Amino acid sequence: MTETATDNSYQFQAEVARLLDLMVHSVYSEREVFLRELISNSADALDKLRYEALTNENLISDDEELAITLIADKKAKTLTLADNGIGMSRDELVNNLGTIARSGTKAFIDEIKADKDRQQSGPDLIGQFGVGFYSAFMVADRVDVISRRAGSNKTFKWSSDGKGAFEISPVDGDQPAGTRIILHVKDDAGKFLEENELRRIVHTYSDHISFPIYFESADKVESDDEENESAEETKKQINAANALWTRPKDEISAEQYKEFYHHTASAFDEPALTLHYTAEGRQLYTALLFVPSIPPFDLYDQQRDSHVKLYVKRIFITDDAKILPSYLRFVKGIVDSEDIPLNLSREMLQNNPLLAAIRKAVTNKLLSELKTCAKKDAENYLKIWENFGPVMKEGLYEDPERRDTLYELARFKTTRTELTSKVETGDDNPPAKWRALADYVADMPEKQEAIYYLAGDNMEQLKASPQLEGYLARDIEVLLLADPVDSFWVTTAVGYQGKPLKSITQGEADLDNLPLKDEGEKDKEAEAEDSISDTLIEKLKQALKDEVMDVKKSSRLVSSPACLVASTQAPDRQLEKMLAMQKGGPQMPGLKPILEINAGHALARALNKAITENKDERFEDLAFLLLDEARILEGNAPEDPAKFTERLNRLLLEE
Ligand code: ADP
């Protein structure tokens, strides 16, 4: 946002202005979600104060209760939300309530930006994403925020009608610490001043908040009877105010779990998995964890830490305790420890052995819960895997200790799931969508000794890879790995159930021992063998010596003329490509590939013919085209497109 003529007036950041415009003109029927958002902010502010007060006792006086109060004033048509939490300084008011900090709000903006038509359906998305503080403008035509940062003696007021600008002004006099948000309620939003309505909304969305929420009516009863007036109970608690995770599981409804998940994770989907338990062994703690059903848009962000919040005896400590390893960063929720000392600084906490033990226990418990889910609720598990599998696979190289468990949890696309048609399996038995390594190994033909994989940029390209042909012809399943992370974990993969993992684009194909599906193919192969003479191989090596390390006859190919593979010593072709991309430079010298040619292909015969007829130029053209075709099939461009076209044209125009 930019400062305008006067020092105290600011323009909203453009995106906020657009968002506010949507709020101000909102016809969204569930406007009540504004209360959930504001209460959630107040609860966070109270959590923050309680944490700071652990090391700075002056911040809270002994007799002060941390609470949220809703004050309805029908005469003034205002609803005030007051909290005695951390509060905001002048700068914080400007920054927090003038820009978009909240990830959910950013996602909301992106969503409506992505699709012009969405401008219309924007309001429907409000409830889905929750847009934090700004949702106040759905029910108010002016919002004042009066706030004093805990520990400071200066109070400031932020005020705006949501139409492009806001003002900041100092407030004199002794003011309570914390934040008061005064909503000047729109004419059509009067119901939000009714006690019953507010009770209902708090019960629906905010019952899990662990701080008391009070309702207070500012409307004095018009009466001369002083006593009667004071007898009127004006302050009533309207929530249960015990932390949800401390309640017995059977007393918590699915809806309450969901609301808690939304609050704690700033999420707006249904949790795909909820795990709530209390450990009573060597560590005493309670965990309440959620696996989302929609991947957060920042799943692959640089900041890869898990955000499971750490509480100690119901007091929020940090959301940076790294309770789960980063490959489980999609899991949200809280862990509340009974025995970690409360007065540890965040730095000391990181090395605390009790926390280390909790980390280990929670990670193991979560993985075992996922395993159970995979067994008992396979369909749900596959959805979880579809969303988060690429992240969980990071664990295959980051967490060797749990690698075996992760192998069991991993699901793969393979030649069976991708290249098997319904016709082959029959209508009643459609091909599986995902395969576990256990399925793969169980279905291996007797003589197969390795788990084969093919790694690449995208599934379509993998499916069209010539290197697969020999494996398909022998009915050998190949894992198709199209996630960027795949090229990394496979390099450290030690194998599963004693079977090593082997790239089909690296080293020897070792297919000779394995029988072909169709025996007829065998004769064709034997016949083809003869079409490749040692002279042909030698001549090809000579012609392509600058491009490839070696030329060999291939057992991998059935219908394609040639393919490139890496030597046993060199990294897998895909990994090589990714390493080169990371370095931003050309491939390292010495990593030239091996060209394998299909003896049965007409091009091999044409090459032989060129040799016998002594047509050197034609031989060279064919040799380079063979190489470039292999490159193209890998999804790359010919190294020298001009030469490629020249050669192709020469051959096409030949008499
Ligand atoms: P979010 O809560 O997701 O960060 P909001 O737009 O709702 O997004 O709020 C922006 C920021 O304003 C919060 O992160 C917080 O720093 C600050 N804030 C909002 N309400 C309060 C409050 N009641 N007390 C203290 N700070 C608050």
CSV table of all heavy atoms in Angstrom, one decimal, residues 19 37-46 48 81-89 92-93 95-105 130-135 145-149 178-181 266, ligand 1:
chain,number,residue,atom,x,y,z
A,19,LEU,N,-10.1,-7.5,-3.2
A,19,LEU,CA,-10.7,-8.4,-2.3
A,19,LEU,C,-11.8,-7.7,-1.5
A,19,LEU,O,-13.0,-8.2,-1.3
A,19,LEU,CB,-9.7,-8.9,-1.3
A,19,LEU,CG,-10.1,-9.9,-0.3
A,19,LEU,CD1,-10.6,-11.2,-1.0
A,19,LEU,CD2,-9.0,-10.2,0.6
A,37,GLU,N,-13.6,-16.1,11.5
A,37,GLU,CA,-12.3,-15.5,11.1
A,37,GLU,C,-11.8,-14.6,12.2
A,37,GLU,O,-10.6,-14.6,12.6
A,37,GLU,CB,-12.4,-14.8,9.8
A,37,GLU,CG,-12.9,-15.6,8.6
A,37,GLU,CD,-12.0,-16.8,8.3
A,37,GLU,OE1,-10.8,-16.5,8.0
A,37,GLU,OE2,-12.4,-17.9,8.3
A,38,LEU,N,-12.6,-13.7,12.7
A,38,LEU,CA,-12.1,-12.7,13.7
A,38,LEU,C,-11.8,-13.4,15.0
A,38,LEU,O,-10.8,-13.1,15.7
A,38,LEU,CB,-13.2,-11.6,13.9
A,38,LEU,CG,-13.4,-10.7,12.6
A,38,LEU,CD1,-14.4,-9.6,12.9
A,38,LEU,CD2,-12.2,-10.2,12.0
A,39,ILE,N,-12.6,-14.3,15.4
A,39,ILE,CA,-12.4,-15.1,16.7
A,39,ILE,C,-11.1,-15.9,16.5
A,39,ILE,O,-10.2,-15.9,17.5
A,39,ILE,CB,-13.6,-16.0,17.0
A,39,ILE,CG1,-14.7,-15.1,17.5
A,39,ILE,CG2,-13.2,-17.0,18.1
A,39,ILE,CD1,-16.0,-15.9,17.8
A,40,SER,N,-10.9,-16.4,15.4
A,40,SER,CA,-9.7,-17.2,15.1
A,40,SER,C,-8.4,-16.3,15.3
A,40,SER,O,-7.4,-16.7,15.9
A,40,SER,CB,-9.8,-17.8,13.8
A,40,SER,OG,-8.6,-18.5,13.4
A,41,ASN,N,-8.5,-15.1,14.7
A,41,ASN,CA,-7.4,-14.1,14.9
A,41,ASN,C,-7.2,-13.8,16.3
A,41,ASN,O,-6.0,-13.7,16.8
A,41,ASN,CB,-7.7,-12.8,14.1
A,41,ASN,CG,-7.4,-13.0,12.6
A,41,ASN,OD1,-6.8,-13.9,12.2
A,41,ASN,ND2,-7.9,-12.0,11.8
A,42,SER,N,-8.2,-13.5,17.1
A,42,SER,CA,-8.1,-13.2,18.5
A,42,SER,C,-7.5,-14.3,19.3
A,42,SER,O,-6.6,-14.1,20.1
A,42,SER,CB,-9.5,-12.8,19.1
A,42,SER,OG,-9.9,-11.6,18.6
A,43,ALA,N,-7.9,-15.5,19.0
A,43,ALA,CA,-7.3,-16.7,19.7
A,43,ALA,C,-5.8,-16.8,19.4
A,43,ALA,O,-5.0,-17.1,20.3
A,43,ALA,CB,-8.0,-18.0,19.3
A,44,ASP,N,-5.4,-16.5,18.2
A,44,ASP,CA,-4.0,-16.6,17.8
A,44,ASP,C,-3.3,-15.5,18.6
A,44,ASP,O,-2.2,-15.7,19.1
A,44,ASP,CB,-3.8,-16.3,16.3
A,44,ASP,CG,-4.2,-17.5,15.5
A,44,ASP,OD1,-4.5,-18.6,16.1
A,44,ASP,OD2,-4.3,-17.3,14.3
A,45,ALA,N,-3.9,-14.3,18.7
A,45,ALA,CA,-3.3,-13.2,19.4
A,45,ALA,C,-3.1,-13.5,20.9
A,45,ALA,O,-2.1,-13.2,21.6
A,45,ALA,CB,-4.1,-11.9,19.2
A,46,LEU,N,-4.1,-14.2,21.5
A,46,LEU,CA,-4.0,-14.6,22.9
A,46,LEU,C,-2.9,-15.7,23.1
A,46,LEU,O,-2.2,-15.6,24.0
A,46,LEU,CB,-5.4,-15.2,23.4
A,46,LEU,CG,-6.5,-14.1,23.4
A,46,LEU,CD1,-7.8,-14.8,23.6
A,46,LEU,CD2,-6.2,-13.1,24.6
A,48,LYS,N,-0.3,-16.0,21.3
A,48,LYS,CA,1.0,-15.3,21.2
A,48,LYS,C,1.4,-14.6,22.5
A,48,LYS,O,2.5,-14.6,22.9
A,48,LYS,CB,1.0,-14.3,20.0
A,48,LYS,CG,1.1,-15.0,18.7
A,48,LYS,CD,1.2,-13.9,17.5
A,48,LYS,CE,0.8,-14.5,16.2
A,48,LYS,NZ,0.3,-13.5,15.3
A,81,LEU,N,-15.5,-6.9,18.9
A,81,LEU,CA,-14.8,-8.1,19.3
A,81,LEU,C,-13.5,-7.6,20.1
A,81,LEU,O,-12.6,-7.0,19.5
A,81,LEU,CB,-14.3,-8.8,18.1
A,81,LEU,CG,-15.1,-10.0,17.6
A,81,LEU,CD1,-15.7,-9.7,16.3
A,81,LEU,CD2,-14.2,-11.2,17.5
A,82,ALA,N,-13.5,-7.9,21.3
A,82,ALA,CA,-12.3,-7.4,22.1
A,82,ALA,C,-11.5,-8.6,22.6
A,82,ALA,O,-12.1,-9.7,23.0
A,82,ALA,CB,-12.8,-6.6,23.3
A,83,ASP,N,-10.2,-8.5,22.5
A,83,ASP,CA,-9.3,-9.5,23.1
A,83,ASP,C,-8.2,-8.8,23.8
A,83,ASP,O,-7.8,-7.7,23.4
A,83,ASP,CB,-8.8,-10.5,22.0
A,83,ASP,CG,-7.8,-9.9,21.0
A,83,ASP,OD1,-6.8,-9.4,21.5
A,83,ASP,OD2,-8.2,-9.8,19.8
A,84,ASN,N,-7.7,-9.5,24.9
A,84,ASN,CA,-6.6,-8.9,25.5
A,84,ASN,C,-5.3,-9.7,25.2
A,84,ASN,O,-4.5,-10.1,26.0
A,84,ASN,CB,-6.8,-8.8,27.1
A,84,ASN,CG,-7.3,-10.2,27.6
A,84,ASN,OD1,-7.6,-11.1,26.9
A,84,ASN,ND2,-7.3,-10.3,28.9
A,85,GLY,N,-5.2,-9.9,23.8
A,85,GLY,CA,-4.0,-10.6,23.3
A,85,GLY,C,-2.8,-9.7,23.0
A,85,GLY,O,-2.7,-8.7,23.7
A,86,ILE,N,-2.0,-10.1,22.1
A,86,ILE,CA,-0.7,-9.5,21.8
A,86,ILE,C,-0.9,-8.1,21.3
A,86,ILE,O,0.0,-7.2,21.5
A,86,ILE,CB,0.1,-10.4,20.9
A,86,ILE,CG1,1.6,-10.0,20.9
A,86,ILE,CG2,-0.4,-10.4,19.5
A,86,ILE,CD1,2.4,-10.4,22.1
A,87,GLY,N,-2.0,-7.8,20.6
A,87,GLY,CA,-2.2,-6.4,20.0
A,87,GLY,C,-1.2,-6.1,18.9
A,87,GLY,O,-0.4,-7.0,18.5
A,88,MET,N,-1.4,-4.9,18.3
A,88,MET,CA,-0.6,-4.6,17.2
A,88,MET,C,0.0,-3.1,17.3
A,88,MET,O,-0.7,-2.3,17.8
A,88,MET,CB,-1.4,-4.6,15.9
A,88,MET,CG,-1.7,-6.0,15.3
A,88,MET,SD,-2.7,-6.0,13.9
A,88,MET,CE,-4.3,-6.1,14.7
A,89,SER,N,1.2,-3.0,16.9
A,89,SER,CA,1.8,-1.7,16.9
A,89,SER,C,1.3,-0.9,15.7
A,89,SER,O,0.6,-1.5,14.9
A,89,SER,CB,3.3,-1.8,16.8
A,89,SER,OG,3.6,-2.4,15.6
A,92,GLU,N,2.5,-2.6,12.6
A,92,GLU,CA,1.8,-3.9,12.4
A,92,GLU,C,0.4,-3.7,11.9
A,92,GLU,O,-0.1,-4.4,11.0
A,92,GLU,CB,1.7,-4.7,13.7
A,92,GLU,CG,3.1,-5.3,14.0
A,92,GLU,CD,3.2,-5.9,15.4
A,92,GLU,OE1,2.5,-5.5,16.3
A,92,GLU,OE2,4.0,-6.9,15.6
A,93,LEU,N,-0.3,-2.6,12.4
A,93,LEU,CA,-1.6,-2.3,11.9
A,93,LEU,C,-1.5,-2.0,10.4
A,93,LEU,O,-2.3,-2.5,9.6
A,93,LEU,CB,-2.2,-1.1,12.6
A,93,LEU,CG,-2.8,-1.3,14.0
A,93,LEU,CD1,-3.1,0.0,14.7
A,93,LEU,CD2,-4.1,-2.2,13.8
A,95,ASN,N,0.8,-2.9,8.2
A,95,ASN,CA,1.2,-4.0,7.4
A,95,ASN,C,0.2,-5.2,7.4
A,95,ASN,O,-0.1,-5.7,6.4
A,95,ASN,CB,2.6,-4.5,7.9
A,95,ASN,CG,3.7,-3.6,7.5
A,95,ASN,OD1,3.6,-3.0,6.4
A,95,ASN,ND2,4.7,-3.4,8.3
A,96,ASN,N,-0.2,-5.5,8.6
A,96,ASN,CA,-1.1,-6.7,8.7
A,96,ASN,C,-2.5,-6.4,8.1
A,96,ASN,O,-3.1,-7.3,7.5
A,96,ASN,CB,-1.3,-7.1,10.1
A,96,ASN,CG,0.0,-7.6,10.7
A,96,ASN,OD1,0.9,-8.0,10.0
A,96,ASN,ND2,0.0,-7.7,12.0
A,97,LEU,N,-3.0,-5.2,8.2
A,97,LEU,CA,-4.3,-4.9,7.8
A,97,LEU,C,-4.3,-4.0,6.5
A,97,LEU,O,-5.3,-3.3,6.3
A,97,LEU,CB,-5.2,-4.3,8.9
A,97,LEU,CG,-5.1,-5.0,10.2
A,97,LEU,CD1,-6.1,-4.4,11.2
A,97,LEU,CD2,-5.5,-6.5,10.0
A,98,GLY,N,-3.3,-4.1,5.7
A,98,GLY,CA,-3.2,-3.4,4.5
A,98,GLY,C,-2.7,-4.2,3.3
A,98,GLY,O,-2.9,-3.9,2.2
A,99,THR,N,-2.1,-5.3,3.7
A,99,THR,CA,-1.6,-6.2,2.6
A,99,THR,C,-2.2,-7.6,2.9
A,99,THR,O,-3.0,-7.8,3.8
A,99,THR,CB,-0.1,-6.3,2.7
A,99,THR,OG1,0.2,-6.8,4.0
A,99,THR,CG2,0.6,-5.0,2.4
A,100,ILE,N,-1.8,-8.5,2.0
A,100,ILE,CA,-2.3,-9.9,2.2
A,100,ILE,C,-1.2,-10.7,2.8
A,100,ILE,O,-0.2,-11.0,2.1
A,100,ILE,CB,-2.9,-10.4,0.9
A,100,ILE,CG1,-4.2,-9.7,0.6
A,100,ILE,CG2,-3.1,-11.9,1.0
A,100,ILE,CD1,-4.9,-10.1,-0.6
A,101,ALA,N,-1.4,-11.2,4.0
A,101,ALA,CA,-0.3,-12.0,4.6
A,101,ALA,C,-0.7,-13.5,4.5
A,101,ALA,O,0.1,-14.4,4.3
A,101,ALA,CB,-0.2,-11.6,6.1
A,102,ARG,N,-2.0,-13.6,4.6
A,102,ARG,CA,-2.5,-15.0,4.8
A,102,ARG,C,-2.5,-15.8,3.6
A,102,ARG,O,-2.9,-15.4,2.5
A,102,ARG,CB,-4.0,-14.7,5.2
A,102,ARG,CG,-4.7,-15.9,5.7
A,102,ARG,CD,-6.2,-15.5,5.8
A,102,ARG,NE,-7.0,-16.6,6.1
A,102,ARG,CZ,-7.4,-16.8,7.4
A,102,ARG,NH1,-7.1,-16.0,8.4
A,102,ARG,NH2,-8.2,-17.8,7.6
A,103,SER,N,-2.0,-17.0,3.8
A,103,SER,CA,-1.9,-17.9,2.6
A,103,SER,C,-3.2,-18.2,2.0
A,103,SER,O,-3.4,-18.3,0.8
A,103,SER,CB,-1.1,-19.1,3.0
A,103,SER,OG,-1.7,-19.7,4.1
A,104,GLY,N,-4.2,-18.5,2.8
A,104,GLY,CA,-5.5,-18.9,2.3
A,104,GLY,C,-6.1,-17.7,1.5
A,104,GLY,O,-6.7,-18.0,0.4
A,105,THR,N,-5.9,-16.5,1.9
A,105,THR,CA,-6.4,-15.4,1.2
A,105,THR,C,-5.7,-15.2,-0.2
A,105,THR,O,-6.3,-14.9,-1.2
A,105,THR,CB,-6.2,-14.1,2.0
A,105,THR,OG1,-6.6,-14.3,3.3
A,105,THR,CG2,-7.0,-12.9,1.4
A,130,GLY,N,-11.9,-18.8,3.4
A,130,GLY,CA,-11.8,-18.0,4.6
A,130,GLY,C,-10.9,-16.9,4.2
A,130,GLY,O,-9.8,-17.1,3.7
A,131,VAL,N,-11.3,-15.6,4.4
A,131,VAL,CA,-10.4,-14.6,3.9
A,131,VAL,C,-10.0,-13.7,5.1
A,131,VAL,O,-9.6,-12.5,4.9
A,131,VAL,CB,-11.0,-13.7,2.8
A,131,VAL,CG1,-11.0,-14.6,1.5
A,131,VAL,CG2,-12.4,-13.3,3.1
A,132,GLY,N,-10.0,-14.3,6.3
A,132,GLY,CA,-9.4,-13.6,7.4
A,132,GLY,C,-10.1,-12.3,7.8
A,132,GLY,O,-11.3,-12.1,7.6
A,133,PHE,N,-9.3,-11.4,8.2
A,133,PHE,CA,-9.8,-10.1,8.8
A,133,PHE,C,-10.8,-9.4,7.8
A,133,PHE,O,-11.8,-8.8,8.2
A,133,PHE,CB,-8.6,-9.2,9.1
A,133,PHE,CG,-9.0,-7.8,9.4
A,133,PHE,CD1,-9.6,-7.5,10.6
A,133,PHE,CD2,-8.8,-6.8,8.4
A,133,PHE,CE1,-10.0,-6.1,10.8
A,133,PHE,CE2,-9.2,-5.5,8.7
A,133,PHE,CZ,-9.8,-5.2,9.9
A,134,TYR,N,-10.4,-9.4,6.5
A,134,TYR,CA,-11.2,-8.6,5.5
A,134,TYR,C,-12.6,-9.1,5.4
A,134,TYR,O,-13.5,-8.3,4.9
A,134,TYR,CB,-10.5,-8.7,4.1
A,134,TYR,CG,-9.1,-8.2,4.2
A,134,TYR,CD1,-8.0,-9.0,4.1
A,134,TYR,CD2,-8.8,-6.8,4.5
A,134,TYR,CE1,-6.7,-8.6,4.2
A,134,TYR,CE2,-7.5,-6.4,4.6
A,134,TYR,CZ,-6.4,-7.3,4.5
A,134,TYR,OH,-5.2,-6.8,4.6
A,135,SER,N,-12.9,-10.3,5.8
A,135,SER,CA,-14.3,-10.7,5.7
A,135,SER,C,-15.3,-9.9,6.6
A,135,SER,O,-16.5,-9.9,6.5
A,135,SER,CB,-14.4,-12.2,6.1
A,135,SER,OG,-13.9,-12.4,7.4
A,145,VAL,N,-10.3,-0.6,14.2
A,145,VAL,CA,-9.5,-1.5,14.9
A,145,VAL,C,-8.7,-0.7,15.9
A,145,VAL,O,-7.9,0.1,15.5
A,145,VAL,CB,-8.6,-2.4,14.0
A,145,VAL,CG1,-7.8,-3.4,14.9
A,145,VAL,CG2,-9.4,-3.1,13.0
A,146,ILE,N,-8.9,-0.9,17.2
A,146,ILE,CA,-8.2,-0.1,18.2
A,146,ILE,C,-7.2,-1.1,18.9
A,146,ILE,O,-7.7,-2.1,19.4
A,146,ILE,CB,-9.1,0.5,19.2
A,146,ILE,CG1,-10.0,1.5,18.4
A,146,ILE,CG2,-8.3,1.2,20.3
A,146,ILE,CD1,-11.1,2.1,19.3
A,147,SER,N,-5.9,-0.9,18.8
A,147,SER,CA,-5.0,-1.9,19.3
A,147,SER,C,-3.8,-1.3,20.0
A,147,SER,O,-3.3,-0.3,19.7
A,147,SER,CB,-4.6,-2.7,18.1
A,147,SER,OG,-4.0,-3.9,18.6
A,148,ARG,N,-3.5,-2.0,21.1
A,148,ARG,CA,-2.2,-1.6,21.8
A,148,ARG,C,-1.4,-2.9,21.9
A,148,ARG,O,-1.9,-3.9,22.4
A,148,ARG,CB,-2.5,-1.1,23.2
A,148,ARG,CG,-1.3,-0.8,24.1
A,148,ARG,CD,-1.5,0.2,25.1
A,148,ARG,NE,-2.2,-0.3,26.3
A,148,ARG,CZ,-1.6,-1.0,27.3
A,148,ARG,NH1,-0.3,-1.4,27.2
A,148,ARG,NH2,-2.3,-1.4,28.3
A,149,ARG,N,-0.2,-2.8,21.4
A,149,ARG,CA,0.8,-3.9,21.5
A,149,ARG,C,1.1,-4.2,22.9
A,149,ARG,O,1.4,-3.2,23.7
A,149,ARG,CB,2.0,-3.6,20.7
A,149,ARG,CG,3.1,-4.7,20.6
A,149,ARG,CD,2.6,-5.7,19.6
A,149,ARG,NE,3.7,-6.6,19.1
A,149,ARG,CZ,4.2,-7.7,19.8
A,149,ARG,NH1,3.7,-7.9,21.0
A,149,ARG,NH2,5.1,-8.4,19.3
A,178,GLY,N,-4.2,-5.1,23.9
A,178,GLY,CA,-5.0,-6.0,23.1
A,178,GLY,C,-5.7,-5.3,22.0
A,178,GLY,O,-5.3,-4.2,21.6
A,179,THR,N,-6.7,-5.9,21.4
A,179,THR,CA,-7.3,-5.4,20.2
A,179,THR,C,-8.8,-5.4,20.3
A,179,THR,O,-9.4,-6.3,20.8
A,179,THR,CB,-6.9,-6.3,19.0
A,179,THR,OG1,-5.5,-6.4,18.9
A,179,THR,CG2,-7.5,-5.8,17.7
A,180,ARG,N,-9.4,-4.2,19.9
A,180,ARG,CA,-10.9,-4.2,19.8
A,180,ARG,C,-11.2,-3.9,18.4
A,180,ARG,O,-10.7,-3.0,17.8
A,180,ARG,CB,-11.4,-3.0,20.7
A,180,ARG,CG,-11.7,-3.4,22.1
A,180,ARG,CD,-12.1,-2.2,22.9
A,180,ARG,NE,-10.9,-1.4,23.1
A,180,ARG,CZ,-11.0,-0.1,23.4
A,180,ARG,NH1,-12.1,0.6,23.4
A,180,ARG,NH2,-9.8,0.6,23.5
A,181,ILE,N,-12.0,-4.8,17.8
A,181,ILE,CA,-12.5,-4.6,16.4
A,181,ILE,C,-13.9,-4.2,16.5
A,181,ILE,O,-14.8,-4.9,17.0
A,181,ILE,CB,-12.3,-5.9,15.6
A,181,ILE,CG1,-10.8,-6.2,15.6
A,181,ILE,CG2,-12.8,-5.7,14.2
A,181,ILE,CD1,-10.4,-7.4,14.9
A,266,SER,N,-5.5,-23.2,9.0
A,266,SER,CA,-6.0,-22.2,8.0
A,266,SER,C,-6.3,-23.0,6.7
A,266,SER,O,-6.0,-22.6,5.6
A,266,SER,CB,-4.9,-21.2,7.6
A,266,SER,OG,-4.6,-20.4,8.8
B,1,ADP,P1,-4.1,-14.3,9.1
B,1,ADP,O1,-4.9,-14.3,10.3
B,1,ADP,O2,-4.3,-15.5,8.3
B,1,ADP,O3,-2.7,-13.9,9.2
B,1,ADP,P2,-5.7,-11.9,8.6
B,1,ADP,O4,-6.0,-11.1,7.4
B,1,ADP,O5,-7.0,-12.5,9.2
B,1,ADP,O6,-4.8,-13.1,8.2
B,1,ADP,O7,-4.9,-11.1,9.7
B,1,ADP,C1,-3.7,-10.5,9.3
B,1,ADP,C2,-2.8,-10.3,10.5
B,1,ADP,O8,-3.3,-9.3,11.3
B,1,ADP,C3,-2.7,-11.5,11.4
B,1,ADP,O9,-1.7,-12.4,10.9
B,1,ADP,C4,-2.2,-10.9,12.7
B,1,ADP,O10,-0.8,-10.6,12.7
B,1,ADP,C5,-2.9,-9.5,12.7
B,1,ADP,N1,-4.2,-9.6,13.5
B,1,ADP,C6,-5.4,-9.8,13.0
B,1,ADP,N2,-6.3,-9.8,14.1
B,1,ADP,C7,-5.6,-9.6,15.2
B,1,ADP,C8,-5.9,-9.5,16.6
B,1,ADP,N3,-7.1,-9.6,17.1
B,1,ADP,N4,-4.8,-9.2,17.4
B,1,ADP,C9,-3.5,-9.1,17.0
B,1,ADP,N5,-3.2,-9.2,15.7
B,1,ADP,C10,-4.2,-9.4,14.8
